[in-house]
Amino acid sequence: MTINAEVLAQPLLDHRALDLNAAERVTYVLEQEFHYGYDEPIGALRHRLVVVPRERHGDQHRRAHRVAASGAQVRRRSRRDAHGNVVVQMRADRVEEGVRFSVAALLERVRADGPTVLAATALRDPRLLRPTRLTAPDDRLRDLAADLLRAGGTPLELAERICHVVHEAVRYEHDVTSVETTAAEALAGGRGVCQDSAHVMIALCRLAGVPARYVSGHLLGEGGTHGWVEVVVASGDAAVAVPFDPCNDRRAGAQYITVATGRDYADVPPTSGSYLGTPNSTLTTSRRVGVLEAA
């Protein structure tokens, strides 16, 4: 399967009219652009993009993709980070007015290929159990985790309760938090976006001894990128990653496209970088994501 203008021009299906979770196969298209503009030439651009879904994540397969840059002479290199994510590094010695980064991908979900299976060692992975700066606990988080643990149950049942409690405790609201807001701050404020809900859930899961990681990706029907959580539970001689979206108080299903996973958001921001020159820059983004076929 290749990506060309004809494929990208195909109309998207109305995903709201489809039972995607019951479909045997679903084909998605993802297009995303980031344009950085500068009021004078800049130099030594070093940019990092985490926007390409990995080749396989459980039942989600990347069938084709392309990454491009325009507006400057850009050198590009792709690698995998410590979490297995695709990281595209862009470098330019000089940018006159602006630079545009774009990604297009065709993805397919094959229901029979799920869930996301991990080695049993993931259940003891310190990266999924230790706090980070963004998920560091305070007394309120510790007390809440203790209350949740007292109810007992399996790790998966505990994760279900944590998801619901976080949804009730953090009301969705734009422009009240930032990418630097910690789980403790988001819980104390009681407001935030999907990233904040995910950090609170991760903090509580780790306090309760349930391995958890941050997921960066897309939710069909939303205007921007989305963040949720995967908890890791035992399954026979291995482990599986079970996705939860505390922002929407549900398990994440076929409406979600996974791009990357990490300890928290700081591991997987879609776009980040540095340059030398004017502090005056603008970022304009666009995104198109949806369903091409469902069977």
Side-chain angles (χ1 to χ4, degrees):
M1 187 181 294
T2 60
I3 297 181
N4 54 42
E6 183 178 343
V7 171
L8 295 177
Q10 291 183 27
L12 300 179
L13 301 179
D14 182 359
H15 67 273
R16 297 166 299 181
L18 303 172
D19 185 358
L20 297 180
N21 289 321
E24 294 298 326
R25 291 177 179 267
V26 182
T27 302
Y28 309 84
V29 64
L30 165 64
E31 294 180 272
Q32 198 168 11
E33 284 194 351
F34 306 87
H35 179 264
Y36 288 86
Y38 309 98
D39 63 354
E40 61 184 58
I42 59 101
L45 177 71
R46 303 291 183 268
H47 211 81
R48 179 179 185 266
L49 295 171
V50 186
V51 294
V52 178
R54 61 184 66 184
E55 189 172 353
R56 181 177 177 186
H57 186 80
D59 62 357
Q60 176 186 294
H61 301 260
R62 188 188 74 223
R63 300 306 191 192
H65 80 286
R66 71 182 184 205
V67 178
S70 59
Q73 291 290 329
V74 175
R75 302 182 299 278
R76 184 179 73 196
R77 183 170 73 91
S78 295
R79 64 176 179 86
R80 293 191 178 277
D81 67 9
H83 305 280
N85 303 312
V86 179
V87 177
V88 182
Q89 294 175 315
M90 302 283 198
R91 296 192 171 201
D93 296 329
R94 183 178 175 87
V95 178
E96 295 294 335
E97 296 180 351
V99 61
R100 185 184 306 276
F101 304 117
S102 61
V103 60
L106 285 175
L107 308 163
E108 185 179 32
R109 187 177 303 280
V110 183
R111 187 158 65 101
D113 289 347
T116 303
V117 179
L118 306 173
T121 53
L123 297 165
R124 306 182 298 277
D125 190 336
R127 296 175 299 178
L128 307 183
L129 288 165
R130 292 176 182 169
T132 62
R133 188 190 70 80
L134 291 174
T135 61
D138 63 357
D139 288 342
R140 185 177 177 190
L141 279 165
R142 292 188 188 93
D143 291 343
L144 185 53
D147 289 342
L148 287 160
L149 274 169
R150 275 192 283 272
T154 66
L156 197 55
E157 290 169 341
L158 179 57
E160 294 271 10
R161 290 200 301 274
I162 291 173
C163 180
H164 179 69
V165 165
V166 173
H167 177 75
E168 294 294 316
V170 182
R171 185 176 74 251
Y172 187 83
E173 188 172 334
H174 274 290
D175 301 324
V176 295
T177 57
S178 75
V179 295
E180 300 295 327
T181 301
T182 67
E185 292 168 342
L187 182 60
R191 299 178 298 166
V193 292
C194 55
Q195 170 190 303
D196 302 298
S197 295
H199 284 155
V200 176
M201 180 168 178
I202 289 169
L204 289 170
C205 284
R206 291 174 180 170
L207 283 167
V210 179
R213 61 187 183 181
Y214 186 92
V215 185
S216 173
H218 304 276
L219 172 58
L220 299 182
E222 286 209 342
T225 57
H226 195 62
W228 61 98
V229 178
E230 284 182 344
V231 299
V232 180
V233 298
S235 178
D237 295 332
V240 294
V242 182
F244 288 90
D245 181 1
C247 187
N248 288 294
D249 194 18
R250 66 188 182 193
R251 297 246 191 133
Q255 311 99 309
Y256 294 74
I257 294 174
T258 296
V259 172
T261 63
R263 295 166 298 177
D264 60 24
Y265 173 83
D267 280 341
V268 291
T271 179
S272 60
S274 64
Y275 63 89
L276 298 178
T278 175
N280 299 319
S281 65
T282 58
L283 169 61
T284 305
T285 65
S286 65
R287 191 194 70 141
R288 177 176 177 260
V289 59
V291 176
L292 286 181
E293 297 178 355

